[in-house]
Amino acid sequence: MADIVLIGATGGVGSRLIPMLVRRGHSVTGLHRKPEQAEDLRAAGATPAQGDLMEMGADDFAAIIRGADAVVFSAGAAGSGAERTTKIDGEGPVKLIEAARATGVKRIYLVSVFPDAGRDRETSDGFEHYMREKKKADAALAGSDLDYVIVRPGTLKSEDGDGKVAAGRALTYGDVARGNVAAFIAELIDAPEIRKDIFELTDGDMPVDAAVAALRR
Ligand SMILES: NC(=O)c1ccc[n+]([C@@H]2O[C@H](COP(=O)([O-])OP(=O)(O)OC[C@H]3O[C@@H](n4cnc5c(N)ncnc54)[C@H](OP(=O)(O)O)[C@@H]3O)[C@@H](O)[C@H]2O)c1
């Protein structure tokens, strides 16, 4: 059993991840920004911790993650503007890394984005900014001394998924159910020997446990 902190606990991936982690016997603390979300988190089996990523500094992250075995960052500004994207998708993970180093938390799982996202469609300043901020966060984590895993999903679908994925260090682009992303992260958390690595993820035909087992070096 591990103590897991989930940043983005109320999101499409995060809210599906909580019951998976609870079923595996882990204890989960979930960050939420609105007071009324606390009850839903409790009902799902998590301990709520309130905080707004637009305002949180490294000290605020430290207060929430202290003593945790692992932290999952699956928060995102979801296209709500450049400033929010910078603060949430870009600076959020950077502050988390600083907090992890200050508190001795070693393991971080970061939900990032597939580098091929947006190919074959017209781009926009907002999307390019999003991609740059995501990459900034990836680079900060990959350059840290933490035991990180960066997960780069394809286009997220609001579905629970069938538990079958394609996962690897380089894949062709595709969609992925938010539930499959959550299941992949839950499986990774129980395979702590997989660390300091970056995986692309789409829906596929391999059960999540077999897909994760195949990623061991
Ligand atoms: N959309 C795609 O196709 C796609 C593709 C690849 C990767 N991704 C990335 O995948 C990750 C997970 O996606 P998702 O669909 O689960 O995202 P989502 O449903 O939009 O959830 C985002 C989470 O971040 C939280 N959040 C946003 N602003 C916050 C703030 N100021 N303070 C605290 N929490 C805040 C949200 O809380 P609230 O409930 O309060 O809003 C929510 O829990 C994101 O990082 C996203 O960038 C997305």
Side-chain angles (χ1 to χ4, degrees):
M1 176 193 147
D3 285 334
I4 314 291
V5 175
L6 188 42
I7 312 291
T10 58
V13 171
S15 61
R16 289 176 171 89
L17 181 53
I18 294 171
M20 294 178 187
L21 294 175
V22 169
R23 266 199 306 276
R24 286 165 180 258
H26 301 308
S27 90
V28 182
T29 298
L31 182 79
H32 65 102
R33 58 177 160 159
K34 301 173 202 126
E36 62 270 22
Q37 292 168 320
E39 207 37 59
D40 286 347
L41 288 175
R42 268 194 213 97
T47 302
Q50 200 176 348
D52 188 332
L53 290 167
M54 291 298 288
E55 283 150 24
M56 285 170 67
D59 288 352
D60 301 306
F61 275 102
I64 292 170
I65 70 168
R66 193 177 304 279
D69 297 295
V71 182
V72 179
F73 190 105
S74 68
S80 57
E83 191 197 347
R84 295 181 60 76
T85 300
T86 303
K87 284 236 189 290
I88 296 168
D89 297 86
E91 293 173 6
V94 172
K95 288 176 195 160
L96 172 62
I97 293 164
E98 197 182 325
R101 300 194 68 191
T103 54
V105 172
K106 285 297 287 174
R107 270 201 286 159
I108 294 185
Y109 298 86
L110 175 63
V111 181
S112 182
V113 64
F114 219 106
D116 306 76
R119 187 162 287 171
D120 296 330
R121 71 176 164 94
E122 213 165 300
T123 192
S124 65
D125 289 349
F127 185 72
E128 290 301 317
H129 179 68
Y130 165 73
M131 293 299 282
R132 270 195 298 277
E133 291 299 316
K134 286 298 216 199
K135 193 52 173 288
K136 208 193 280 178
D138 287 10
L141 190 54
S144 77
D145 55 359
L146 298 170
D147 287 341
Y148 66 86
V149 178
I150 295 168
V151 177
R152 293 175 168 166
T155 301
L156 295 179
K157 298 291 169 191
S158 289
E159 293 160 12
D160 292 337
D162 62 356
K164 291 190 179 158
V165 297
R169 294 172 183 88
L171 298 180
T172 51
Y173 196 66
D175 296 341
V176 59
R178 284 177 166 86
N180 280 346
V181 179
F184 182 69
I185 294 170
E187 193 69 31
L188 278 176
I189 286 173
D190 285 343
E193 67 281 12
I194 299 178
R195 59 200 176 95
K196 298 188 193 298
D197 224 329
I198 302 178
F199 303 119
E200 296 176 353
L201 183 72
T202 66
D203 287 334
D205 50 24
M206 220 190 220
V208 163
D209 55 350
V212 167
L215 295 172
R216 292 194 174 90
R217 290 195 191 264

